[in-house]
Amino acid sequence: EAQVTQNPRYLITVTGKKLTVTCSQNMNHEYMSWYRQDPGLGLRQIYYSMNVEVTDKGDVPEGYKVSRKEKRNFPLILESPSPNQTSLYFCASSWTSGGAGDTQYFGPGTRLTVL
Amino acid sequence: SQQGEEDPQALSIQEGENATMNCSYKTSINNLQWYRQNSGRGLVHLILIRSNEREKHSGRLRVTLDTSKKSSSLLITASRAADTASYFCAPSPTGANSKLTFGKGITLSVRP
């Protein structure tokens, strides 16, 4: 089954404690992306990756890091989480970034709370 | 990056009624997609319309695109309680490596 998986699904942590949210897709997609969703602000892109070893900032990259060492995985790293990073996070993947009309497939989401 | 602006922000209708949701955008696009999100879950693709298309149907969904007005609408006919969700439009601007971007969404509530 084609899918994007994220782990963990729920996480409560404290300020400053490094964490990683994993994302994996089994569709051999080249494009992967991380979004955060906050009430009233919609879906905002954090980072994206056009292919292996190619990553770039989205609209709200501050406080986040990513890596794309292999095609299927695109982890999101919070080196020193702060309460303003409390949010619902989504990973997504597609063949291309969207210009060709590719469907983006979303993971189930990770609800992060930073105390 | 360009994102679509959905209107209204929230919509409440009775089961069986039609729901019309609108999206406006600012620049030329290759295509526009609509997605649906059930509460707290990942977005799911509903339908895509290309810039050279004016209307498209999929089951109870009808999407229109007016590139001269830079707007699109999503119509859900004979709505059901299970249609309760948030709906997002995602225009894809023209240009190399253009990215799909998402707006704030429309919250649709269908009352049984």
Side-chain angles (χ1 to χ4, degrees):
Chain A
E1 181 192 351
Q3 60 181 355
V4 178
T5 56
Q6 292 178 230
N7 283 292
R9 294 288 314 280
Y10 303 90
L11 180 60
I12 300 174
T13 189
V14 294
T15 299
K17 187 176 180 182
K18 181 179 179 180
L19 66 92
T20 299
V21 184
T22 64
C23 172
S24 184
Q25 51 96 1
N26 64 359
M27 295 165 278
N28 205 34
H29 286 162
E30 293 189 347
Y31 182 79
M32 296 186 75
S33 182
W34 274 103
Y35 299 90
R36 61 177 290 174
Q37 185 175 30
D38 303 287
L41 297 177
L43 225 59
R44 294 179 293 168
Q45 190 179 54
I46 303 170
Y47 268 94
Y48 63 96
S49 170
M50 292 289 195
N51 212 326
V52 176
E53 303 290 3
V54 181
T55 63
D56 209 345
K57 296 176 181 177
D59 299 315
V60 288
E62 293 76 23
Y64 304 95
K65 281 176 58 177
V66 292
S67 69
R68 187 93 182 271
K69 292 185 169 57
E70 44 190 351
K71 204 175 215 181
R72 63 181 297 127
N73 296 323
F74 190 44
L76 179 70
I77 303 153
L78 284 72
E79 295 266 1
S80 183
S82 63
N84 64 12
Q85 292 178 299
T86 292
S87 187
L88 180 58
Y89 291 86
F90 291 101
C91 180
S93 76
S94 57
W95 288 113
T96 68
S97 60
D102 303 313
T103 297
Q104 283 209 10
Y105 292 84
F106 282 77
T110 295
R111 190 168 291 280
L112 172 65
T113 301
V114 183
L115 302 174
Chain B
S1 60
Q2 165 178 240
Q3 65 185 47
E5 290 187 17
E6 296 96 345
D7 174 69
Q9 289 188 333
L11 181 60
S12 181
I13 59 173
Q14 200 74 34
E15 204 165 27
E17 294 179 339
N18 295 341
T20 300
M21 292 168 271
N22 303 300
C23 170
S24 61
Y25 55 91
K26 291 187 169 60
T27 64
S28 298
I29 61 171
N30 286 324
N31 59 76
L32 185 142
Q33 300 184 37
W34 284 90
Y35 286 74
R36 163 193 169 126
Q37 181 185 32
N38 287 86
S39 182
R41 303 234 176 158
L43 279 67
V44 175
H45 177 259
L46 288 177
I47 194 166
L48 173 147
I49 188 164
R50 299 191 184 279
S51 59
N52 61 353
E53 297 175 314
R54 291 295 166 259
E55 188 171 312
K56 205 159 179 184
H57 296 256
S58 176
R60 293 185 296 112
L61 304 180
R62 173 180 166 244
V63 170
T64 62
L65 180 65
D66 186 336
T67 52
S68 66
K69 294 182 179 176
K70 292 186 170 57
S71 68
S72 173
S73 67
L74 171 67
L75 169 68
I76 302 176
T77 59
S79 63
R80 305 167 182 168
D83 294 325
T84 294
S86 293
Y87 293 82
F88 294 81
C89 74
S92 180
T94 55
N97 293 331
S98 68
K99 290 191 299 169
L100 210 60
T101 54
F102 296 87
K104 296 181 181 180
I106 297 169
T107 301
L108 172 66
S109 298
V110 181
R111 303 185 302 274

